[in-house]
Amino acid sequence: MKISLSWLRQYIQFSGESPSRIAQLLTQSGLEVSAITTLELVRGGFKDLIIGQVVTCQQHPNANKLKITQVDVGQGTPLLIVCGAPNIAIGQKVVVAPVGAQLCSAKGDLFRIKRTKIRGEISEGMICAEDEIGLGNMHEGILVLDTILDPGTPVAEHFDYCVDTVFEVDVTPNRGDACSHIGVARELAVLLNRPVQYPTIDHFRVDPDPSKRIKVNILDAQACPRYAAAVIKDVVVQESPAWIQSRLKSIGIAPVNNIVDVTNFVMHELGQPLHAFDYDQIDGQMIAVQRLSPGTEFVTLDGKSRVLTGDELMICDQRGGLCMAGILGGKRGSIQAGTQNIFLE
């Protein structure tokens, strides 16, 4: 299984241990690391880019859509930068490409920043949008950072998940406890005598709503002794934040949307498999865990129609199969762009 070093750092603090040292510790404890790979999820790894803070922002005298800014980049004297983004404002922490920096756009185009005059005013760098640094496709405004890092700090320290080291860990069947990032963090916490920092769930609340209930019937208790689920209302299906997409890409999982992605993220964080159904597509507001008759057709997420042998454990509603339990989701009931409520298994 693949374990991301930057992801591990969310749960345990390292004190200068190199990737090779961490791999050695894990291998000696019984979690053999068979390979170490360096990944650069953003071309160039944000080389030359620094965090800046907008100190002043004034109207350009010769252009209505341009602003003249002074940006603190930790060098004493702020940089003068002309910026055309509509969302630029004093106090923001931003991504600055100083003179000499080479950028790689989301399309793979390379260009170097030069000291220049824009409509008669000196510009000593560029305040960047997402697409200009290869992080995404947004170009409507500059990228504003939510960070406590000081001006002048390399941008790579904020986007630490975009340059990563990935361990290939050969987990043996008796070590299910290590089949997750927190599981591996627990192992390292013992080896290094350091605490594990668990993610907070303080902002989550349970709101009992009898109108959004699903009745669960376990019809094959030997194959499935327990089935746990929850209903989550009023979701908006959209693209996941860049950091979640990068986490998944680092371990070889292609992002789909925020709902599907977070189920994969939590599975690899905690080792707890999850599956999200479109609640409003579940016929009869009931779930049955059972086997279906041999020869039953089942359309999977990839749109293929498969014929069941009768041995597969299925998650069903009143119309039939929704999911091949623990193996493959079904097309009907899957998360779509218009999904508003989900049933989380």
Side-chain angles (χ1 to χ4, degrees):
M1 80 177 269
K2 294 182 178 180
I3 295 292
S4 152
L5 179 56
S6 70
W7 197 341
L8 274 182
R9 286 195 177 107
Q10 303 301 304
Y11 315 115
I12 182 171
Q13 295 297 313
F14 297 109
S15 299
E17 287 87 4
S18 66
S20 59
R21 175 58 178 158
I22 293 169
Q24 181 185 40
L25 288 169
L26 289 173
T27 298
Q28 289 174 346
S29 75
L31 301 179
E32 183 179 359
V33 176
S34 58
I36 304 175
T37 305
T38 300
L39 288 182
E40 199 173 82
L41 295 176
V42 171
R43 186 178 175 186
F46 303 114
K47 183 182 178 183
D48 304 326
L49 301 183
I50 52 179
I51 294 174
Q53 187 159 21
V54 181
V55 179
T56 67
C57 182
Q58 299 176 335
Q59 182 63 50
H60 192 296
N62 305 316
N64 292 334
K65 293 185 178 181
L66 297 179
K67 298 287 195 306
I68 300 174
T69 68
Q70 292 186 57
V71 184
D72 176 10
V73 291
Q75 298 174 356
T77 303
L79 296 181
L80 284 171
I81 299 179
V82 176
C83 180
N87 63 327
I88 186 76
I90 293 174
Q92 292 171 334
K93 287 188 176 176
V94 294
V95 176
V96 176
V99 172
Q102 180 173 273
L103 298 184
C104 181
S105 73
K107 296 179 180 179
D109 301 322
L110 293 173
F111 56 99
R112 194 170 294 279
I113 302 301
K114 300 177 181 178
R115 189 176 187 272
T116 185
K117 276 191 176 182
I118 301 177
R119 293 290 186 94
E121 297 294 329
I122 293 292
S123 186
E124 302 174 301
M126 186 171 81
I127 302 173
C128 303
E130 266 191 13
D131 65 330
E132 291 164 334
I133 61 175
L135 192 60
N137 299 312
M138 295 294 291
H139 191 72
E140 288 75 14
I142 56 162
L143 179 61
V144 179
L145 304 179
D146 180 11
T147 180
I148 61 172
L149 296 175
D150 295 328
T153 303
V155 166
E157 291 189 23
H158 178 71
F159 295 110
D160 64 340
Y161 49 83
C162 288
V163 180
D164 205 354
T165 298
V166 177
F167 303 110
E168 189 78 43
V169 182
D170 295 336
V171 182
T172 51
N174 63 318
R175 292 303 308 272
D177 63 290
C179 288
S180 66
H181 281 76
I182 283 184
V184 173
R186 284 196 302 258
E187 191 79 7
L188 286 167
V190 173
L191 297 169
L192 296 170
N193 193 26
R194 289 174 201 157
V196 176
Q197 300 168 347
Y198 292 97
T200 179
I201 56 171
D202 293 343
H203 298 296
F204 290 84
R205 63 184 178 86
V206 177
D207 179 19
D209 182 355
S211 70
K212 288 286 188 289
R213 294 287 180 88
I214 293 286
K215 180 177 175 58
V216 175
N217 296 315
I218 299 176
L219 303 180
D220 190 332
Q222 183 174 358
C224 176
R226 181 173 182 267
Y227 186 93
V231 175
I232 302 175
K233 301 182 296 181
D234 303 323
V235 303
V236 177
V237 178
Q238 57 191 8
E239 190 175 83
S240 291
W243 68 269
I244 285 188
Q245 293 193 45
S246 294
R247 291 274 187 253
L248 295 178
K249 288 175 183 177
S250 72
I251 58 172
I253 297 176
V256 179
N257 59 52
N258 57 335
I259 306 300
V260 174
D261 292 351
V262 79
T263 63
N264 284 325
F265 177 88
V266 171
M267 179 172 67
H268 286 273
E269 178 185 53
L270 296 176
Q272 172 61 58
L274 303 170
H275 186 78
F277 300 90
D278 186 326
Y279 169 90
D280 297 298
Q281 299 303 314
I282 298 175
D283 195 1
Q285 290 193 313
M286 62 80 66
I287 286 290
V289 185
Q290 63 184 101
R291 301 183 195 273
L292 296 178
S293 302
T296 301
E297 289 191 5
F298 174 62
V299 180
T300 50
L301 275 173
D302 53 12
K304 295 181 179 179
S305 180
R306 303 171 189 267
V307 178
L308 302 180
T309 66
D311 294 326
E312 306 88 352
L313 190 67
M314 302 292 294
I315 310 301
C316 306
D317 64 3
Q318 287 187 348
R319 287 175 56 191
L322 288 169
C323 178
M324 198 177 294
I327 299 175
L328 192 58
K331 187 72 173 175
R332 186 173 64 86
S334 63
I335 303 301
Q336 305 294 328
T339 297
Q340 295 179 323
N341 304 295
I342 65 173
F343 180 70
L344 182 66
E345 171 191 295

